[in-house]
Structures are given as structure tokens and as C-alpha cells.
Amino acid sequence: MVKWLRKSKSAMVILTIIRIWLGYLWAMDGFGKISGGFSAKGFVGMAIKNPVMTPEKTQAFGWYTDFLRDLVMPHISLFSTLVAWGELLVGLGLIFGTLTTAAAFFGMMMNFFYLMAGTVSVNPMYIFWEIFILVAGFNAGKIGLDRWVIPFLREKLPFLKKLVE
């Protein structure tokens, strides 16, 4: 399956459709936040007040709750901006196939952060599709700007030449 995802032209086409669809969802979420005066204060406050609990009734991600309380909440306007622009940029990266695997990786990271804050929503579905994009690597962005961007970067940044397609 991995070989098919990484080398097959049919996988490339299927991944492009998935990538553009997922990118559209990310971009619309980000654009809505940027244009709508988004603030993560309520979300972060609820995640701190009601952390994810284990079956034993202890905090599942105590370190994450501490991070939200001690670092994010005091700088909530910065983090609100980072979330909104991060979602938009992940979406645009996936739509245009530019740094596709990086966009999928950072999208997946945001999904995991939302899950650790206690929000399920669409995050598991996004993670599912992002895994396929990450496993496919360069093939996921071949029908996109990665067709030119990745070879250019590999030429200009010697440490990238050793990476596997």
C-alpha cells in the first residue's frame, strides 16, 4: 500500500482530490477565523477548566493543560492569530500542492492539539486523510506546485537531496 501511495499515478490523482478537498475545509475554517474576529480565549478557557480525563479521573494531558494555562492564555491574542493563519496556510498549501507534506503535518499537529484540548469534531477524520498524504510524500503534491517547488528546494538546500521521494 505504501509503495502504491508513493509511486502510483492513480494514487496521485486520488490524493490530489483528497488533498484539495481537505485543503478547502482547512482554508475555509482559517478564512472564517481571520475575517470574523476570532478569539481562542473561550476555547482555551474551557480546555483549562474541563481538561480531558482518563478513566481513573486524572488529567490525561496535564502537561498540555499547564501549557494552555501558563503560556497560551497570557498570550491569547498571539495564539488566536497563529491558529487562524495556521489553518488558512495549511489549507492553501494543500489546495495548491505547495509543501504538501509540511502542510499535512502541521494540520495534523493542530488536529492533535484540538483533541488534547477535548474537542473531537472533525479532527479524527482530518487526521485520517492527513496520514495518507504524509505517507504518500512527494506523490501527494505532484499534481500541484510541489512538482516544481520540491526539486528547486532540493537543488538549493543540499540536505534535502538525501530525502526519499
Side-chain angles (χ1 to χ4, degrees), residues 131-158:
I131 287 171
F132 283 99
I133 293 169
L134 286 173
V135 170
F138 182 58
N139 203 32
K142 276 186 180 174
I143 302 176
L145 296 177
D146 275 351
R147 178 180 219 81
W148 299 280
V149 171
I150 298 302
F152 174 80
L153 289 176
R154 286 184 177 165
E155 180 183 318
K156 298 297 180 188
L157 303 171

Side-chain angles (χ1 to χ4, degrees), residues 39-53 59 64-65 68-69 72-73 76 113-119:
S39 174
K41 188 173 185 174
F43 175 79
V44 172
M46 287 303 293
I48 293 168
K49 184 178 176 185
N50 302 308
V52 176
M53 304 300 274
Q59 285 190 30
Y64 188 65
T65 305
L68 292 175
R69 184 186 60 245
V72 174
M73 201 53 128
I76 196 66
F113 291 147
Y114 300 152
L115 286 170
M116 288 188 294
T119 301

Side-chain angles (χ1 to χ4, degrees), residues 4-5 62 123 131 143:
W4 180 77
L5 283 172
N123 297 304
I131 287 171
I143 302 176

Side-chain angles (χ1 to χ4, degrees), residues 2-141:
V2 172
K3 184 177 179 183
W4 180 77
L5 283 172
R6 289 179 165 257
K7 300 292 181 187
S8 168
K9 288 185 181 189
S10 58
M12 180 175 50
V13 171
I14 293 167
L15 288 163
T16 299
I17 293 165
I18 292 168
R19 189 193 81 218
I20 291 170
W21 167 74
L22 188 60
Y24 173 79
L25 296 175
W26 271 112
M28 289 298 98
D29 287 344
F31 182 75
K33 286 178 173 81
I34 289 169
S35 62
F38 168 74
S39 174
K41 188 173 185 174
F43 175 79
V44 172
M46 287 303 293
I48 293 168
K49 184 178 176 185
N50 302 308
V52 176
M53 304 300 274
T54 66
E56 293 80 25
K57 305 296 181 207
T58 61
Q59 285 190 30
F61 310 108
W63 63 271
Y64 188 65
T65 305
D66 294 342
F67 168 75
L68 292 175
R69 184 186 60 245
D70 299 338
L71 185 65
V72 174
M73 201 53 128
H75 307 286
I76 196 66
S77 62
L78 171 65
F79 280 90
S80 295
T81 302
L82 290 173
V83 166
W85 281 98
E87 288 183 4
L88 179 64
L89 292 173
V90 164
L92 293 175
L94 292 173
I95 290 169
F96 292 112
T98 308
L99 302 176
T100 304
T101 53
F105 172 79
F106 287 111
M108 184 181 291
M109 292 302 299
M110 283 192 283
N111 290 132
F112 278 118
F113 291 147
Y114 300 152
L115 286 170
M116 288 188 294
T119 301
V120 176
S121 184
V122 296
N123 297 304
M125 177 190 65
Y126 283 19
I127 290 169
F128 178 80
W129 294 115
E130 288 158 350
I131 287 171
F132 283 99
I133 293 169
L134 286 173
V135 170
F138 182 58
N139 203 32

